[in-house]
mmCIF file of all heavy atoms in Angstrom:
data_model
loop_
_atom_site.group_PDB
_atom_site.id
_atom_site.type_symbol
_atom_site.label_atom_id
_atom_site.label_comp_id
_atom_site.label_asym_id
_atom_site.label_seq_id
_atom_site.Cartn_x
_atom_site.Cartn_y
_atom_site.Cartn_z
ATOM 1 N N ILE A 61 2.935 10.325 3.853
ATOM 2 C CA ILE A 61 3.508 8.977 3.796
ATOM 3 C C ILE A 61 5.024 9.031 3.912
ATOM 4 O O ILE A 61 5.620 8.372 4.760
ATOM 5 C CB ILE A 61 3.118 8.265 2.475
ATOM 6 C CG1 ILE A 61 1.616 8.038 2.419
ATOM 7 C CG2 ILE A 61 3.872 6.957 2.318
ATOM 8 C CD1 ILE A 61 1.147 7.380 1.143
ATOM 9 N N PRO A 190 5.204 1.536 1.383
ATOM 10 C CA PRO A 190 3.967 2.109 1.922
ATOM 11 C C PRO A 190 2.846 2.047 0.904
ATOM 12 O O PRO A 190 1.678 2.301 1.234
ATOM 13 C CB PRO A 190 4.349 3.564 2.204
ATOM 14 C CG PRO A 190 5.421 3.870 1.196
ATOM 15 C CD PRO A 190 6.139 2.573 0.912
ATOM 16 N N GLU A 191 3.179 1.734 -0.324
ATOM 17 C CA GLU A 191 2.202 1.619 -1.403
ATOM 18 C C GLU A 191 2.911 0.861 -2.520
ATOM 19 O O GLU A 191 4.114 0.632 -2.449
ATOM 20 C CB GLU A 191 1.696 2.997 -1.845
ATOM 21 C CG GLU A 191 2.776 3.941 -2.346
ATOM 22 C CD GLU A 191 2.920 3.878 -3.844
ATOM 23 O OE1 GLU A 191 1.952 4.206 -4.531
ATOM 24 O OE2 GLU A 191 3.999 3.508 -4.333
ATOM 25 N N ARG A 222 2.547 1.460 6.807
ATOM 26 C CA ARG A 222 2.631 2.895 7.107
ATOM 27 C C ARG A 222 2.519 3.075 8.605
ATOM 28 O O ARG A 222 1.647 2.473 9.238
ATOM 29 C CB ARG A 222 1.485 3.675 6.445
ATOM 30 C CG ARG A 222 1.556 3.643 4.937
ATOM 31 C CD ARG A 222 0.418 4.444 4.310
ATOM 32 N NE ARG A 222 0.308 4.101 2.907
ATOM 33 C CZ ARG A 222 -0.669 4.500 2.100
ATOM 34 N NH1 ARG A 222 -1.630 5.275 2.583
ATOM 35 N NH2 ARG A 222 -0.683 4.136 0.836
ATOM 36 N N GLU A 224 0.986 4.809 10.788
ATOM 37 C CA GLU A 224 -0.127 5.713 11.042
ATOM 38 C C GLU A 224 -0.688 5.405 12.420
ATOM 39 O O GLU A 224 -0.427 4.344 12.977
ATOM 40 C CB GLU A 224 -1.227 5.480 10.008
ATOM 41 C CG GLU A 224 -0.824 5.885 8.609
ATOM 42 C CD GLU A 224 -2.030 5.959 7.689
ATOM 43 O OE1 GLU A 224 -2.653 7.028 7.649
ATOM 44 O OE2 GLU A 224 -2.334 4.964 7.020
ATOM 45 N N GLY A 229 -10.142 0.271 10.783
ATOM 46 C CA GLY A 229 -9.952 0.488 9.341
ATOM 47 C C GLY A 229 -8.620 1.130 8.992
ATOM 48 O O GLY A 229 -8.349 1.412 7.842
ATOM 49 N N ARG A 230 -7.779 1.376 10.023
ATOM 50 C CA ARG A 230 -6.451 1.922 9.717
ATOM 51 C C ARG A 230 -5.406 1.145 10.506
ATOM 52 O O ARG A 230 -5.436 1.114 11.724
ATOM 53 C CB ARG A 230 -6.392 3.401 10.057
ATOM 54 C CG ARG A 230 -5.116 4.049 9.527
ATOM 55 C CD ARG A 230 -5.229 5.541 9.416
ATOM 56 N NE ARG A 230 -5.189 6.140 10.731
ATOM 57 C CZ ARG A 230 -5.485 7.415 10.978
ATOM 58 N NH1 ARG A 230 -5.859 8.206 9.997
ATOM 59 N NH2 ARG A 230 -5.419 7.889 12.189
ATOM 60 N N TYR A 231 -4.521 0.517 9.781
ATOM 61 C CA TYR A 231 -3.531 -0.365 10.391
ATOM 62 C C TYR A 231 -2.148 0.026 9.903
ATOM 63 O O TYR A 231 -2.005 0.778 8.945
ATOM 64 C CB TYR A 231 -3.825 -1.831 10.028
ATOM 65 C CG TYR A 231 -5.264 -2.179 10.268
ATOM 66 C CD1 TYR A 231 -6.189 -2.184 9.221
ATOM 67 C CD2 TYR A 231 -5.728 -2.446 11.551
ATOM 68 C CE1 TYR A 231 -7.526 -2.450 9.445
ATOM 69 C CE2 TYR A 231 -7.061 -2.719 11.788
ATOM 70 C CZ TYR A 231 -7.959 -2.715 10.730
ATOM 71 O OH TYR A 231 -9.282 -2.972 10.962
ATOM 72 N N ARG A 232 -1.137 -0.506 10.596
ATOM 73 C CA ARG A 232 0.238 -0.196 10.176
ATOM 74 C C ARG A 232 0.728 -1.207 9.146
ATOM 75 O O ARG A 232 1.558 -0.882 8.312
ATOM 76 C CB ARG A 232 1.136 -0.139 11.405
ATOM 77 C CG ARG A 232 0.764 1.073 12.237
ATOM 78 C CD ARG A 232 1.602 1.246 13.462
ATOM 79 N NE ARG A 232 1.425 2.600 13.956
ATOM 80 C CZ ARG A 232 2.039 3.087 15.020
ATOM 81 N NH1 ARG A 232 2.887 2.338 15.689
ATOM 82 N NH2 ARG A 232 1.830 4.335 15.386
ATOM 83 N N PHE A 234 -1.277 -3.144 6.349
ATOM 84 C CA PHE A 234 -2.603 -3.331 5.772
ATOM 85 C C PHE A 234 -2.410 -3.898 4.371
ATOM 86 O O PHE A 234 -1.304 -3.931 3.849
ATOM 87 C CB PHE A 234 -3.377 -2.005 5.748
ATOM 88 C CG PHE A 234 -2.704 -0.926 4.953
ATOM 89 C CD1 PHE A 234 -3.099 -0.652 3.640
ATOM 90 C CD2 PHE A 234 -1.659 -0.184 5.499
ATOM 91 C CE1 PHE A 234 -2.458 0.332 2.892
ATOM 92 C CE2 PHE A 234 -1.016 0.802 4.755
ATOM 93 C CZ PHE A 234 -1.425 1.061 3.455
ATOM 94 N N TRP A 235 -3.519 -4.332 3.805
ATOM 95 C CA TRP A 235 -3.413 -5.005 2.509
ATOM 96 C C TRP A 235 -4.046 -4.168 1.420
ATOM 97 O O TRP A 235 -5.073 -3.510 1.650
ATOM 98 C CB TRP A 235 -4.102 -6.365 2.586
ATOM 99 C CG TRP A 235 -3.316 -7.324 3.411
ATOM 100 C CD1 TRP A 235 -3.117 -7.262 4.760
ATOM 101 C CD2 TRP A 235 -2.586 -8.453 2.937
ATOM 102 N NE1 TRP A 235 -2.311 -8.297 5.157
ATOM 103 C CE2 TRP A 235 -1.971 -9.039 4.063
ATOM 104 C CE3 TRP A 235 -2.398 -9.022 1.685
ATOM 105 C CZ2 TRP A 235 -1.180 -10.179 3.956
ATOM 106 C CZ3 TRP A 235 -1.619 -10.164 1.587
ATOM 107 C CH2 TRP A 235 -1.013 -10.722 2.710
ATOM 108 N N GLN A 236 -3.434 -4.185 0.296
ATOM 109 C CA GLN A 236 -4.041 -3.494 -0.850
ATOM 110 C C GLN A 236 -4.168 -4.444 -2.031
ATOM 111 O O GLN A 236 -3.301 -5.276 -2.286
ATOM 112 C CB GLN A 236 -3.188 -2.294 -1.277
ATOM 113 C CG GLN A 236 -3.342 -1.080 -0.364
ATOM 114 C CD GLN A 236 -2.583 0.125 -0.873
ATOM 115 O OE1 GLN A 236 -1.620 -0.004 -1.636
ATOM 116 N NE2 GLN A 236 -3.003 1.307 -0.461
ATOM 117 N N ARG A 372 -6.043 13.973 -3.451
ATOM 118 C CA ARG A 372 -5.376 12.757 -3.008
ATOM 119 C C ARG A 372 -3.990 13.013 -2.418
ATOM 120 O O ARG A 372 -3.360 14.008 -2.667
ATOM 121 C CB ARG A 372 -5.289 11.728 -4.123
ATOM 122 C CG ARG A 372 -6.607 11.550 -4.835
ATOM 123 C CD ARG A 372 -7.231 10.202 -4.729
ATOM 124 N NE ARG A 372 -6.264 9.137 -4.709
ATOM 125 C CZ ARG A 372 -6.058 8.378 -3.632
ATOM 126 N NH1 ARG A 372 -6.743 8.555 -2.547
ATOM 127 N NH2 ARG A 372 -5.155 7.425 -3.678
ATOM 128 N N LEU A 374 -1.007 11.653 -2.698
ATOM 129 C CA LEU A 374 0.279 11.360 -3.318
ATOM 130 C C LEU A 374 0.597 12.384 -4.401
ATOM 131 O O LEU A 374 -0.291 12.875 -5.093
ATOM 132 C CB LEU A 374 0.277 9.951 -3.928
ATOM 133 C CG LEU A 374 -0.306 8.852 -3.044
ATOM 134 C CD1 LEU A 374 -0.225 7.506 -3.729
ATOM 135 C CD2 LEU A 374 0.419 8.786 -1.718
ATOM 136 N N TYR A 377 0.019 12.161 -8.930
ATOM 137 C CA TYR A 377 -1.194 12.152 -9.746
ATOM 138 C C TYR A 377 -1.283 13.305 -10.742
ATOM 139 O O TYR A 377 -0.868 14.414 -10.468
ATOM 140 C CB TYR A 377 -2.435 12.150 -8.856
ATOM 141 C CG TYR A 377 -2.643 10.811 -8.203
ATOM 142 C CD1 TYR A 377 -2.517 10.653 -6.839
ATOM 143 C CD2 TYR A 377 -2.926 9.691 -8.969
ATOM 144 C CE1 TYR A 377 -2.680 9.413 -6.245
ATOM 145 C CE2 TYR A 377 -3.088 8.448 -8.390
ATOM 146 C CZ TYR A 377 -2.963 8.318 -7.031
ATOM 147 O OH TYR A 377 -3.120 7.091 -6.452
ATOM 148 N N ALA A 394 -12.666 5.827 2.921
ATOM 149 C CA ALA A 394 -12.172 5.580 1.562
ATOM 150 C C ALA A 394 -11.887 4.093 1.379
ATOM 151 O O ALA A 394 -11.029 3.528 2.033
ATOM 152 C CB ALA A 394 -10.915 6.392 1.299
ATOM 153 N N LEU A 395 -12.643 3.508 0.465
ATOM 154 C CA LEU A 395 -12.467 2.097 0.165
ATOM 155 C C LEU A 395 -11.276 1.918 -0.768
ATOM 156 O O LEU A 395 -10.511 0.982 -0.657
ATOM 157 C CB LEU A 395 -13.741 1.627 -0.528
ATOM 158 C CG LEU A 395 -14.175 0.195 -0.506
ATOM 159 C CD1 LEU A 395 -14.160 -0.364 0.895
ATOM 160 C CD2 LEU A 395 -15.590 0.102 -1.093
ATOM 161 N N LEU A 396 -11.150 2.848 -1.665
ATOM 162 C CA LEU A 396 -10.031 2.771 -2.596
ATOM 163 C C LEU A 396 -9.769 4.145 -3.188
ATOM 164 O O LEU A 396 -10.628 5.023 -3.159
ATOM 165 C CB LEU A 396 -10.312 1.767 -3.710
ATOM 166 C CG LEU A 396 -11.430 2.080 -4.705
ATOM 167 C CD1 LEU A 396 -10.886 2.778 -5.944
ATOM 168 C CD2 LEU A 396 -12.123 0.801 -5.121
ATOM 169 N N GLY A 397 -8.561 4.289 -3.701
ATOM 170 C CA GLY A 397 -8.224 5.564 -4.322
ATOM 171 C C GLY A 397 -7.285 5.333 -5.478
ATOM 172 O O GLY A 397 -6.589 4.311 -5.537
ATOM 173 N N GLY A 398 -7.277 6.264 -6.394
ATOM 174 C CA GLY A 398 -6.355 6.095 -7.507
ATOM 175 C C GLY A 398 -6.371 7.289 -8.423
ATOM 176 O O GLY A 398 -6.971 8.319 -8.127
ATOM 177 N N ALA A 419 -5.506 1.747 -5.768
ATOM 178 C CA ALA A 419 -5.210 0.811 -4.687
ATOM 179 C C ALA A 419 -6.426 0.775 -3.778
ATOM 180 O O ALA A 419 -6.967 1.802 -3.403
ATOM 181 C CB ALA A 419 -3.979 1.244 -3.912
ATOM 182 N N MET A 420 -6.814 -0.441 -3.480
ATOM 183 C CA MET A 420 -8.023 -0.642 -2.697
ATOM 184 C C MET A 420 -7.614 -1.247 -1.366
ATOM 185 O O MET A 420 -6.780 -2.158 -1.322
ATOM 186 C CB MET A 420 -8.875 -1.619 -3.493
ATOM 187 C CG MET A 420 -10.121 -2.089 -2.848
ATOM 188 S SD MET A 420 -11.252 -2.654 -4.142
ATOM 189 C CE MET A 420 -10.185 -3.570 -5.242
ATOM 190 N N GLY A 421 -8.175 -0.725 -0.280
ATOM 191 C CA GLY A 421 -7.840 -1.269 1.032
ATOM 192 C C GLY A 421 -8.593 -2.573 1.258
ATOM 193 O O GLY A 421 -9.805 -2.577 1.428
ATOM 194 N N LEU A 422 -7.849 -3.676 1.245
ATOM 195 C CA LEU A 422 -8.499 -4.984 1.397
ATOM 196 C C LEU A 422 -9.103 -5.119 2.794
ATOM 197 O O LEU A 422 -10.207 -5.653 2.960
ATOM 198 C CB LEU A 422 -7.466 -6.079 1.119
ATOM 199 C CG LEU A 422 -7.907 -7.532 1.119
ATOM 200 C CD1 LEU A 422 -9.164 -7.768 0.317
ATOM 201 C CD2 LEU A 422 -6.783 -8.406 0.573
ATOM 202 N N ASP A 423 -8.385 -4.584 3.801
ATOM 203 C CA ASP A 423 -8.927 -4.647 5.165
ATOM 204 C C ASP A 423 -10.299 -3.960 5.221
ATOM 205 O O ASP A 423 -11.218 -4.433 5.876
ATOM 206 C CB ASP A 423 -7.993 -3.939 6.156
ATOM 207 C CG ASP A 423 -6.572 -4.456 6.076
ATOM 208 O OD1 ASP A 423 -5.883 -4.123 5.079
ATOM 209 O OD2 ASP A 423 -6.150 -5.187 6.970
ATOM 210 N N ARG A 424 -10.377 -2.825 4.529
ATOM 211 C CA ARG A 424 -11.646 -2.063 4.572
ATOM 212 C C ARG A 424 -12.745 -2.749 3.774
ATOM 213 O O ARG A 424 -13.922 -2.702 4.124
ATOM 214 C CB ARG A 424 -11.423 -0.645 4.059
ATOM 215 C CG ARG A 424 -10.530 0.112 4.999
ATOM 216 C CD ARG A 424 -10.465 1.568 4.690
ATOM 217 N NE ARG A 424 -9.341 2.151 5.425
ATOM 218 C CZ ARG A 424 -8.876 3.359 5.236
ATOM 219 N NH1 ARG A 424 -9.431 4.146 4.334
ATOM 220 N NH2 ARG A 424 -7.866 3.797 5.946
HETATM 221 P P1 AMP B 1 -3.690 5.387 -0.693
HETATM 222 O O1 AMP B 1 -2.507 4.594 -1.163
HETATM 223 O O2 AMP B 1 -3.386 6.234 0.511
HETATM 224 O O3 AMP B 1 -4.411 6.067 -1.767
HETATM 225 O O4 AMP B 1 -4.696 4.299 -0.118
HETATM 226 C C1 AMP B 1 -5.486 3.505 -0.944
HETATM 227 C C2 AMP B 1 -6.429 2.717 -0.088
HETATM 228 O O5 AMP B 1 -5.700 1.884 0.788
HETATM 229 C C3 AMP B 1 -7.281 3.574 0.829
HETATM 230 O O6 AMP B 1 -8.426 3.997 0.168
HETATM 231 C C4 AMP B 1 -7.598 2.616 1.949
HETATM 232 O O7 AMP B 1 -8.689 1.787 1.606
HETATM 233 C C5 AMP B 1 -6.374 1.771 2.022
HETATM 234 N N1 AMP B 1 -5.490 2.224 3.115
HETATM 235 C C6 AMP B 1 -4.584 3.217 3.108
HETATM 236 N N2 AMP B 1 -3.950 3.323 4.279
HETATM 237 C C7 AMP B 1 -4.462 2.348 5.073
HETATM 238 C C8 AMP B 1 -4.219 1.907 6.417
HETATM 239 N N3 AMP B 1 -3.305 2.484 7.182
HETATM 240 N N4 AMP B 1 -4.955 0.879 6.886
HETATM 241 C C9 AMP B 1 -5.895 0.272 6.118
HETATM 242 N N5 AMP B 1 -6.150 0.624 4.853
HETATM 243 C C10 AMP B 1 -5.456 1.650 4.328
#
Side-chain angles (χ1 to χ4, degrees):
I61 295 178
E191 59 94 62
R222 295 181 195 172
E224 293 194 87
R230 190 160 73 192
Y231 311 98
R232 291 181 164 181
F234 60 99
W235 288 69
Q236 283 185 337
R372 313 244 325 113
L374 314 181
Y377 287 113
L395 205 50
L396 67 94
M420 175 158 43
L422 184 47
D423 307 73
R424 293 190 194 169

